[in-house]
Amino acid sequence: MTLPKLHVAVLMGGWSNERPVSLMSGEGVAKALESKGHKVTRIDMDRDVALRLSEAKPDVVFNALHGAPGEDGTVQGMMDLMGLTYTHSGLATSVIAIDKELTKQALVPHGIPMPGGRIVESAEIHKRDPLPRPYVLKPVNEGSSVGVAIVTAEGNYGNPIAPDAKGPWQEFDRLLAEPFIRGRELTTAVIGGPNTGERALLVTELKPKSGFYDFDAKYTDGMTEHVCPAEIPDEITAACKDLALRSHQLLGCKGTSRADFRWDDTQGIEGLFLLEVNTQPGMTPLSLVPEQARACGMEYPDLVEAIIAEALADAGNVAKGGK
């Protein structure tokens, strides 16, 4: 699809833990659009964001926000009320996908394998372990591995976990406890939506130089090796792509998404589990979706335009009384 020259507002920044990443994503998107001849208005989101969007009067908004409130349906609902056309997933999808427990409720009944576990109050873990060790504690509504802790028998959090030990229990009242899945970190990007067609790209294996694939490992150059495409059996590649595409479709994702997996390679296909679906994956120089797109022959500016094309196609379909 060849896009006409557009006025695009790139929404970035905000006040979530992922603000620095969003600023990098947004600037990358803005420069890509300008290289294609589009007019760009950069908006670092603050409490006056609705007024600034109203004054800008863009043809389309590229949502480059990460984390709440830009990824959890709040900003999507605001833009729906304003009648704005915007990229990525809509309100309902964003509400579900940002919440790891709601995502499980939406996907597991359809045969998507995800880890078990349960929601726990942070105060509870200072009395007893919610699951047998090793297990993972993570915020219910955060992305980019913000606040993830792996609790092992040999770890230094204490047993039970000490209240003064540094971890997500100091920042969040409720946490998701899941069994720790040993093995390898895999991820698959999906681009498109119901109006332009969806396709899964590739599988990337992520090999952190130390520790696990946390926030620093994701966004610090040189801390993680990206093997793209992953050197894994064809059966696992096919399964990742199928699960990523099905999850994208079941959740109603648009534009692009990224599905993150853990694979216990001693268990074959039975050891593959979907961890989460990110509805607004990073668009930084180290980000995985642009990397996979490039490996498939799609340069960064073309990827940005493809995401916008899906938003425009969706807006046109809604105007005609479609979905």
Side-chain angles (χ1 to χ4, degrees), residues 38 40 86 97 104 127 178 205 212-213 221 224 236 247 266:
H38 300 290
V40 175
Y86 59 90
K104 288 182 183 183
K127 300 175 183 177
E178 293 180 339
E205 180 173 7
F212 69 103
Y213 192 53
D221 196 6
T224 299
I236 303 302
S247 298
T266 68

Side-chain angles (χ1 to χ4, degrees), residues 225-267:
E225 178 186 0
H226 295 189
V227 181
C228 180
E231 297 170 352
I232 55 177
D234 291 345
E235 176 188 40
I236 303 302
T237 295
C240 286
K241 292 172 71 172
D242 174 67
L243 292 170
L245 182 58
R246 287 171 56 203
S247 298
H248 182 98
Q249 293 170 331
L250 286 166
L251 291 171
C253 297
K254 299 172 185 176
T256 184
S257 72
R258 194 193 70 240
D260 296 335
F261 301 91
R262 287 285 287 185
W263 177 45
D264 182 345
D265 54 6
T266 68
Q267 301 296 317

